[in-house]
Amino acid sequence: MSDVYAEPTTGADPTDPATLARYTTLRLGGPAGRLEIATSADEIVRKVQEAEAREQAVLLLAGGSNVVIGDQGFPGAVVLIRSRGFRLVAEDADTVTVRVEAGEPWDDLVAATVERGWSGLECLSGIPGSAGATPIQNVGAYGQEVAETITAVEAYDRTRRTVVRIPAADCGFAYRGSIFKYSDRWVVLSVDFRLTRSPLSGPVRYTELARALGVEVGDRVPLADARATVRRLRAGKGMVLDARDPDTWSVGSFFTNPVLEPEAYDRLRERAADLGEPPSWPCPGDTVKVSAAWLIDKAGFGRGHTGPEGVAISTKHTLALTNRTGTASTAALIALAREIRDGVQTRLGVTLHPEPVLINCAI
Ligand SMILES: Cc1cc2nc3c(=O)[nH]c(=O)nc-3n(C[C@H](O)[C@H](O)[C@H](O)COP(=O)(O)OP(=O)(O)OC[C@H]3O[C@@H](n4cnc5c(N)ncnc54)[C@H](O)[C@@H]3O)c2cc1C
């Protein structure tokens, strides 16, 4: 699978057990009750309303890069979000606001903004999936997150049965979270991003990125350099989709970095005294974010560690769980995730939580 999503074949039977695996980057997921494709905001709303009228549950699926779908699949209506495009809706001397259709492939959008000299998304280069899914978990990487540039989200409110524009302040953005994650209420139709007119990136905040660019943290670099370097760093970790590289057949990071209260962090440091200092970042309210990759590695699950049916930790990144043969089941992937979560809990006393949305499966 490339960055461009799979399209349904005409006449294909959605109840085929392999159906949803075609639409997820993990290549996992069973049959669908019904498969719909929606190519505009109006059509997305209509498909959702039609499913409701049939009293069918709805699953919105765009790039399928942040979902783990169970082997039993999804018995309701799966609506594939395939709306495309973006347009300028406001501008002044310093900024532009672009309104992006939910199904627009994210990295195409980032490429287009970099090309036009609009700064604000460049460090989010190479992330798969759709623009409309970025507010769901407040997508972030290399020191940038979409909460910094989103000004509003247009969504269909399934509770009130109306389309609303939700200002960013009401989106509840948090680390890998928002009001939209794990909620059936909102169908994102478009997202507004306010970007800065500048040939330069925002201040580089991520040490690894600064080092790779040969600059100091806080410096700015040409947008195209930031994009190219982020993509290169990501590719080295298997974090850019590549149909030929099974290390990328994942959902990216399977676990979020745990955010610990100060007491829990002190306990971790005691338990890990023989393992070195856990890499960590200060967070609001004296809490501390700890590297999940480090915890997993120190608990004894190194790169390449395998689980049942050939599922494995990526050989390039400890946080990515892969279906490297393309033939495993969701049950096998979940078994590997459980083994890792329980091992980290037993060895280091920290509970890891999954980052992707789990559908008809649980760890
Ligand atoms: C190799 C790889 C690297 C990754 N790197 C990163 C990273 O660096 N940072 C990061 O944050 N994430 C990363 N991810 C995760 C993922 O790419 C992002 O979360 C992305 O935004 C998901 O987009 P999608 O279109 O694939 O969403 P999907 O997987 O299709 O859907 C994800 C969730 O959002 C819901 N959803 C999708 N579209 C809509 C909509 N229009 N309205 C309402 N709900 C919707 C779905 O129902 C589901 O619950 C990575 C994934 C992979 C495979």
Side-chain angles (χ1 to χ4, degrees), residues 25 59-67 102 127-130 133-134 136-137 139-141 176 186-188 234 238-239 241 250-252 355 357:
T25 55
L59 170 63
L60 304 163
L61 200 57
S65 63
N66 210 31
V67 285
I127 297 178
S130 62
T134 59
I136 311 287
Q137 72 156 2
V139 157
R176 295 302 164 272
W186 309 105
V187 181
V188 174
R234 294 185 65 93
M239 287 290 175
L241 286 186
S250 72
V251 281
E355 181 179 305
V357 175

Side-chain angles (χ1 to χ4, degrees), residues 66-200:
N66 210 31
V67 285
V68 184
I69 303 179
D71 296 312
Q72 303 312 312
F74 187 79
V78 176
V79 179
L80 295 174
I81 309 277
R82 297 292 186 264
S83 50
R84 293 284 166 97
F86 65 89
R87 64 197 164 93
L88 222 61
V89 289
E91 58 183 318
D92 58 28
D94 302 321
T95 67
V96 294
T97 302
V98 280
R99 181 159 301 159
V100 188
E101 297 302 314
E104 178 69 8
W106 175 252
D107 198 49
D108 290 1
L109 173 71
V110 178
T113 61
V114 164
E115 213 169 276
R116 287 165 172 75
W118 300 339
S119 172
L121 305 180
E122 57 283 351
C123 293
L124 303 173
S125 293
I127 297 178
S130 62
T134 59
I136 311 287
Q137 72 156 2
N138 180 20
V139 157
Y142 292 95
Q144 254 175 12
E145 53 183 27
V146 290
E148 296 162 35
T149 43
I150 290 179
T151 53
V153 171
E154 185 187 49
Y156 174 62
D157 179 347
R158 293 181 62 195
T159 305
R160 289 172 47 223
R161 299 182 61 77
T162 182
V163 173
V164 290
R165 187 167 298 285
I166 308 170
D170 296 339
C171 290
F173 287 129
Y175 167 59
R176 295 302 164 272
S178 72
I179 58 164
F180 310 112
K181 195 160 177 179
Y182 278 117
S183 164
D184 278 341
R185 179 170 176 184
W186 309 105
V187 181
V188 174
L189 301 175
S190 70
V191 186
D192 289 1
F193 296 88
R194 186 185 293 135
L195 306 172
T196 307
R197 290 183 198 272
S198 168
L200 297 182

